[in-house]
Amino acid sequence: MPSDYVAPGQEYTRDTAYIESRITADGADGWRVEPDRYRLIVARACPWANRMLIVRRLLGLEDALSVGMCGPTHDERSWTFDLDPGGVDPVLGIERIQDAYFARVPDYPKGITVPAIVDIPSGAVVTNDFAQMSLDLSTEWRPFHREGAPDLLPAAQREEMDAVMRRVYTEVNNGVYRCGFAGSQAAYDDAYDRLWTALDWLEERLATRRFLMGDAITEADVRLFTTLARFDPVYHGHFKANRQRLTEMPALWGYARDLFQTPGFGDTIDFAQIKEHYYVVHEDVNPSGIVPKGPALDGWLEPHDREALSTGGSPFGDGTPPPPPRDAELVPQHATPLPGGVAPVR
């Protein structure tokens, strides 16, 4: 998760000083796309890392890009591999993702964040620029996509989609954090108003189209979904983004359920880890460390009936749904309201 800080009395500002190296087909930055060379490090709790899990699943990059999972909590040093036997990542042989940052830049002074992609031979982080990373999976890693991988960045819609994604990022993805970490009443009030202005815009937009760009899923939907999945469990209460619950916004709630029930989306969501991360790690917001038992999550499986907004065809456009998750990457059953796994796409 990108590093967070707030100055008392001020608006929350996200630290965006990332390692901006890119892994490309031509290796222009010194890092060439190669299967089995890199390891994607994520935490299911983190919305920015969750994006990468979804895109990797949709594009079918499991064979080319392995994944390492950090646990849901961390200390001031970094995320840890406490879910793995012995607390050590089995490929990188490290206990903390911090070690991979230090292998790249000794005494790395910036935020130790996920997602990050690590060069396995050197053990060094290549990049933690989460916004560019998912775009590169669609473009630079294309030779390793599965047959039937959807086009998440359709060229004909790219200009409009980039504008939508910018607004989603500044006002919604980051907007909930501006509410939760506001350093003053005035900063909170401004953040709250901006967030709900954007959510009302999205509610109106999604009332007439199945997905953000039309009939097919794109990168824009991936970016919005990970915030919506955390909205009622975390952001509504913990971050005081509480004008309404997601379940009280018909278009957004139907849209979120539609994506949740689509292979590649809901099967990456671990609600238990999400709640544990926010309520335990954010001691300044929740000093008791108590994790709430609610809200009820069974509504995620309710019919959404959003197919009626589509002109036909698959949510994957000319592509196909991804296969089921691999056994090693399944979300524990206790973490999800899906007793039998994700419902098939309709």
Side-chain angles (χ1 to χ4, degrees), residues 315-342:
F316 299 95
D318 293 333
T320 59
R326 299 181 177 188
D327 289 347
E329 297 182 19
L330 287 171
V331 175
Q333 287 296 300
H334 73 271
T336 169
L338 303 179
V342 174

Side-chain angles (χ1 to χ4, degrees), residues 211-279:
F211 303 111
L212 282 174
M213 303 309 301
D215 289 350
I217 292 163
T218 65
E219 169 94 12
D221 299 295
V222 176
R223 296 185 178 204
L224 178 58
F225 172 75
T226 58
T227 295
L228 297 182
R230 289 157 176 79
F231 198 88
D232 285 4
V234 175
Y235 302 144
H236 179 273
H238 183 60
F239 278 177
K240 307 179 186 70
N242 58 359
R243 192 191 78 181
Q244 291 168 270
R245 291 184 293 270
L246 177 65
T247 56
E248 297 169 335
M249 303 190 75
L252 276 166
W253 176 223
Y255 165 82
R257 297 200 313 277
D258 189 358
L259 288 174
F260 188 87
Q261 295 171 30
T262 298
F265 285 83
D267 52 32
T268 70
I269 297 294
D270 188 324
F271 285 113
Q273 286 198 26
I274 288 169
K275 292 201 298 182
E276 183 179 0
H277 169 73
Y278 284 92
Y279 284 101

Side-chain angles (χ1 to χ4, degrees), residues 115-274:
I117 297 182
V118 178
D119 175 51
I120 296 172
S122 67
V125 167
V126 176
T127 180
N128 65 338
D129 185 354
F130 67 92
Q132 186 62 48
M133 286 161 61
S134 60
L135 300 178
D136 285 344
L137 290 190
S138 276
T139 55
E140 304 297 325
W141 290 74
R142 189 177 297 275
F144 303 102
H145 290 183
R146 67 178 174 88
E147 184 178 355
D151 181 4
L152 299 178
L153 301 173
Q157 297 176 305
R158 187 64 191 272
E159 183 176 357
E160 180 188 3
M161 185 172 67
D162 284 348
V164 169
M165 292 194 299
R166 280 193 299 272
R167 188 171 183 183
V168 166
Y169 169 71
T170 60
E171 307 304 297
V172 181
N173 301 148
N174 200 43
V176 291
Y177 284 84
R178 279 202 309 273
C179 288
F181 292 136
S184 70
Q185 186 69 50
Y188 166 75
D189 290 347
D190 179 68
Y192 179 98
D193 291 343
R194 286 178 59 181
L195 170 66
W196 284 103
T197 295
L199 288 172
D200 286 340
W201 163 69
L202 288 166
E203 177 76 4
E204 182 178 358
R205 183 180 182 93
L206 290 166
T208 57
R209 62 183 79 196
R210 184 172 182 182
F211 303 111
L212 282 174
M213 303 309 301
D215 289 350
I217 292 163
T218 65
E219 169 94 12
D221 299 295
V222 176
R223 296 185 178 204
L224 178 58
F225 172 75
T226 58
T227 295
L228 297 182
R230 289 157 176 79
F231 198 88
D232 285 4
V234 175
Y235 302 144
H236 179 273
H238 183 60
F239 278 177
K240 307 179 186 70
N242 58 359
R243 192 191 78 181
Q244 291 168 270
R245 291 184 293 270
L246 177 65
T247 56
E248 297 169 335
M249 303 190 75
L252 276 166
W253 176 223
Y255 165 82
R257 297 200 313 277
D258 189 358
L259 288 174
F260 188 87
Q261 295 171 30
T262 298
F265 285 83
D267 52 32
T268 70
I269 297 294
D270 188 324
F271 285 113
Q273 286 198 26
I274 288 169

